[in-house]
C-alpha cells in the first residue's frame, strides 16, 4: 500500500488455480490505475496486457496526450505487433483505467474487466462488459444467471489490439471524500457476485488487505482464471448508511426474520387450534346468547371459535353487567358448564330487566 496525494491504494494479483500464465497486468502509479487482461495463444496474452499498461502509463506520464489517445495508441501498437509477429497473431487485451486529477476522474474501458465504486456504503458498477453474453443480457436473450454460467462468457465483443481502430468507453465523474474504487479482472467477477464484492469492500479497511482478500476469495472459489484487484481510496471517512448491514448480513437477517415469523405463526396456530378444541365460552351472536367452542379472540382475520349452540335468549333483556361480559365472552371449562350458565341466563332474562343484583357465582 502506498500513499500519494492522499490516495491510499493497493493492487493484488494471483495466477489462479488453472492457468499456466499470468496474463493480467496491473498499473498502480497515481494518478493512473489500470487493469489489463490479455488474451491470445501461447505467450501473446501477457504481451498484449503489458503493452497496454506500459503505453497508457507512458502517455499519462508524459502528459502529451489524454487518456483516450493513450489508449488508442496502445490499441494501434498491440494491433501492429500482432500483425508483424506471427507468434503474437490474434492477441488482444482488456483495459480498464482510472485517471485521477484531484476530484476529477476519468475512466477508460474496453473488454470485461470492471470498475466499481463503493460510495455511501453501496456498490455501483461503473463499466459495462463488452462480452457477447452481456450484450445478450441487455437484449433480453439471456438472463444474468445464464450469462454468469455461460461457457462463452469470456468471449469479448471488443478488446484492445484486435482491430486497427476500436471504440473505447470513456466516463467522467467526480470523486467524493471516502470514495473507494475497485478495478478488477474477470477472474474476480466470475467467482464473486457483486454483493460479495460489496461485503468485502465494506468489511475491510486498508486497501492492501481488501485487495488481497478479494483475490483470495476468488481463488478459493475456484480460481479458474488469473485474478487481479486494485483498490483506490480517496481521503475522507468512508461514509456508511445508517444501517451498516452488508447485503450478505441483510440477507441472513431477512432469512432469520422470516424464520422467526414462520415459527411464531406455527406456534400461534397450534395454540389457537388447541384453544379452539378445548375451550368454551358463552357470548353474543346477533343479539342473542350463544355457546361458542374456542376462545373469544381472533388471529388477524381468523376467528378462533365457532358457534356450538345458538339460544333464543335476548342479550338486551339481561342485566347490564352480563351484557358487557357476554360481548367479551364468558369463558367456561366445559360444554356442560356453558349449558349451566345459559340456563341461569335464561332464568335472569325472564325476570325483570332492572335486576341489578350480583350475578350468580358472585364474580364481578
Ligand atoms: Mn481473465
Amino acid at each position: 500500500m502506498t500513499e500519494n496525494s492522499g490516495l491510499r491504494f493497493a493492487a493484488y494479483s494471483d495466477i489462479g488455480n488453472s492457468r499456466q500464465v499470468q496474463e493480467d497486468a496491473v498499473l498502480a502509479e497515481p494518478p493512473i490505475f489500470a487493469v489489463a487482461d490479455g488474451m491470445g495463444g501461447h505467450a501473446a496474452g501477457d504481451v498484449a496486457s503489458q503493452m497496454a499498461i506500459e503505453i497508457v502509463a507512458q502517455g499519462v506520464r508524459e502528459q502529451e496526450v489524454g487518456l483516450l489517445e493513450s489508449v488508442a495508441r496502445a490499441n494501434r501498437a498491440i494491433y501492429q505487433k500482432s500483425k508483424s509477429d506471427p507468434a503474437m497473431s490474434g492477441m488482444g487485451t482488456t483495459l480498464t483505467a482510472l485517471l485521477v486529477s484531484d476530484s476529477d476522474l476519468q475512466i477508460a474501458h474496453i473488454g470485461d474487466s470492471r470498475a466499481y465504486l463503493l460510495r455511501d456504503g453501496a456498490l455501483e458498477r461503473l463499466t459495462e462488459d463488452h462480452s457477447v453474453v452481456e450484450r445478450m443480457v441487455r437484449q433480453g436473450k439471456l438472463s444474468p444467471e445464464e450469462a454468469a454460467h455461460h461457457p462463452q462468457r469470456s468471449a469479448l465483443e471488443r478488446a484492445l489490439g484486435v482491430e486497427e481502430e476500436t471504440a473505447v468507453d470513456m466516463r467522467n465523474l467526480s470523486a467524493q471524500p471516502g470514495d473507494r474504487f475497485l478495478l478488477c479482472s474477470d477472474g474476480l467477477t466470475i467467482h464473486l457476485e457483486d454483493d460479495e464484492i460489496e461485503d468485502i469492500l465494506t468489511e475491510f479497511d486498508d486497501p492492501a488487505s481488501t485487495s488481497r482478500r478479494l483475490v483470495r476469495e476468488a481463488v478459493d472459489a475456484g480460481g479458474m482464471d488469473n485474478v487481479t484487484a486494485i483498490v483506490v481510496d480517496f481521503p475522507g471517512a468512508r461514509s456508511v448508511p445508517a444501517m451498516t448491514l452488508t447485503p450478505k448480513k441483510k440477507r441472513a437477517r431477512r432469512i432469520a426474520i422470516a424464520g422467526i415469523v414462520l415459527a411464531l405463526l406455527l406456534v400461534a396456530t397450534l395454540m389457537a387450534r388447541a384453544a379452539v378444541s378445548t375451550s368454551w365460552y358463552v357470548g353474543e351472536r346477533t343479539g342473542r346468547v350463544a355457546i361458542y367452542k374456542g376462545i373469544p379472540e381472533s388471529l388477524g382475520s381468523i376467528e378462533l371459535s365457532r358457534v356450538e349452540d345458538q339460544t333464543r335468549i335476548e342479550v338486551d333483556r339481561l342485566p347490564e353487567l352480563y351484557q358487557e361480559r357476554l360481548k367479551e365472552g364468558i369463558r367456561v371449562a366445559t360444554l356442560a358448564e356453558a349449558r349451566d350458565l345459559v340456563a341461569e341466563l335464561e332464568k335472569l332474562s325472564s325476570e325483570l330487566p332492572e335486576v341489578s343484583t350480583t350475578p350468580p357465582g358472585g364474580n364481578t
Side-chain angles (χ1 to χ4, degrees):
M1 187 179 70
T2 316
E3 293 197 30
N4 182 298
S5 63
L7 292 178
R8 297 163 80 225
F9 62 92
Y12 199 78
S13 216
D14 194 289
I15 194 168
N17 298 323
S18 44
R19 293 295 169 88
Q20 304 302 312
V21 184
Q22 174 59 277
E23 295 183 323
D24 285 359
V26 168
L27 175 63
E29 291 172 14
I32 181 79
F33 303 89
V35 170
D37 176 355
M39 72 197 106
H42 313 294
D46 61 319
V47 171
S49 58
Q50 273 304 328
M51 284 180 74
I53 291 296
E54 281 164 20
I55 293 167
V56 167
Q58 190 186 11
V60 170
R61 244 189 332 259
E62 294 170 359
Q63 286 191 329
E64 47 188 46
V65 291
L67 180 59
L68 177 59
E69 179 52 27
S70 299
V71 175
R73 280 184 182 183
N75 181 68
R76 284 194 293 273
I78 297 164
Y79 178 76
Q80 279 155 16
K81 191 168 182 70
S82 79
K83 290 296 165 195
S84 61
D85 185 344
M88 302 291 150
S89 175
M91 71 175 172
T93 183
T94 74
L95 181 75
T96 301
L98 172 70
L99 180 64
V100 180
S101 163
D102 296 323
S103 65
D104 292 333
L105 306 176
Q106 215 175 8
I107 291 171
H109 166 73
I110 182 166
D112 65 353
S113 300
R114 291 181 184 176
Y116 287 93
L117 166 61
L118 183 76
R119 175 180 288 174
D120 298 334
L123 189 70
E124 183 193 353
R125 200 170 124 192
L126 300 173
T127 52
E128 203 169 68
D129 293 351
H130 298 139
S131 63
V132 177
V133 294
E134 184 141 315
R135 173 174 49 78
M136 291 170 77
V137 170
R138 283 196 298 276
Q139 294 170 341
K141 292 176 181 168
L142 273 184
S143 73
E145 293 71 31
E146 287 169 328
H149 303 104
H150 199 282
Q152 293 301 312
R153 63 176 177 251
S154 54
L156 295 184
E157 290 203 308
R158 272 196 264 158
L160 225 52
V162 177
E163 289 174 60
E164 200 161 9
E165 296 294 331
T166 192
V168 177
D169 290 354
M170 297 297 294
R171 180 166 179 171
N172 294 294
L173 61 160
S174 344
Q176 290 179 8
D179 275 354
R180 165 167 269 192
F181 288 86
L182 167 68
L183 305 180
C184 61
S185 62
D186 71 326
L188 188 84
T189 51
I190 56 179
H191 290 299
L192 301 186
E193 303 287 338
D194 282 6
D195 61 353
E196 294 171 304
I197 292 172
E198 187 185 285
D199 276 355
I200 297 167
L201 288 174
T202 306
E203 193 177 331
F204 288 82
D205 182 43
D206 74 287
S209 48
T210 311
S211 56
R212 203 180 313 123
R213 180 53 178 251
L214 284 164
V215 170
R216 182 55 40 213
E217 293 245 339
V219 172
D220 290 348
M224 307 251 296
D225 195 3
N226 309 143
V227 190
T228 299
I230 307 175
V231 173
V232 181
D233 284 348
F234 278 73
R238 202 141 24 94
S239 50
V240 288
M243 293 284 286
T244 54
L245 289 173
T246 60
K248 198 180 272 181
K249 288 172 191 160
K250 282 179 215 157
R251 219 167 35 216
R253 193 184 56 153
R254 267 201 303 274
I255 291 166
I257 290 173
I260 290 167
V261 167
L262 270 179
L264 285 176
L265 270 177
L266 183 65
V267 167
T269 306
L270 289 174
M271 282 173 64
R273 197 174 288 171
V276 168
S277 63
T278 61
S279 302
W280 302 88
Y281 70 96
V282 178
E284 182 200 353
R285 184 168 181 265
T286 58
R288 292 172 192 270
V289 173
I291 297 175
Y292 287 84
K293 186 173 190 181
I295 54 174
E297 310 280 346
S298 61
L299 197 67
S301 59
I302 307 164
E303 290 296 332
L304 298 181
S305 59
R306 58 180 172 77
V307 175
E308 177 74 17
D309 192 6
Q310 171 87 64
T311 73
R312 306 189 53 150
I313 309 165
E314 287 172 48
V315 175
D316 284 354
R317 291 183 54 89
L318 293 166
E320 257 178 47
L321 179 67
Y322 268 110
Q323 293 185 24
E324 278 168 33
R325 292 190 62 199
L326 282 167
K327 271 173 197 144
E328 289 166 11
I330 304 167
R331 297 199 197 202
V332 291
T334 62
L335 178 59
E337 269 183 49
R339 294 212 188 284
D340 288 348
L341 179 56
V342 165
E344 285 176 42
L345 291 173
E346 192 149 31
K347 234 184 277 174
L348 281 170
S349 72
S350 61
E351 292 166 8
L352 287 176
E354 282 78 22
V355 172
S356 62
T357 53
T358 309
N363 185 10
T364 54

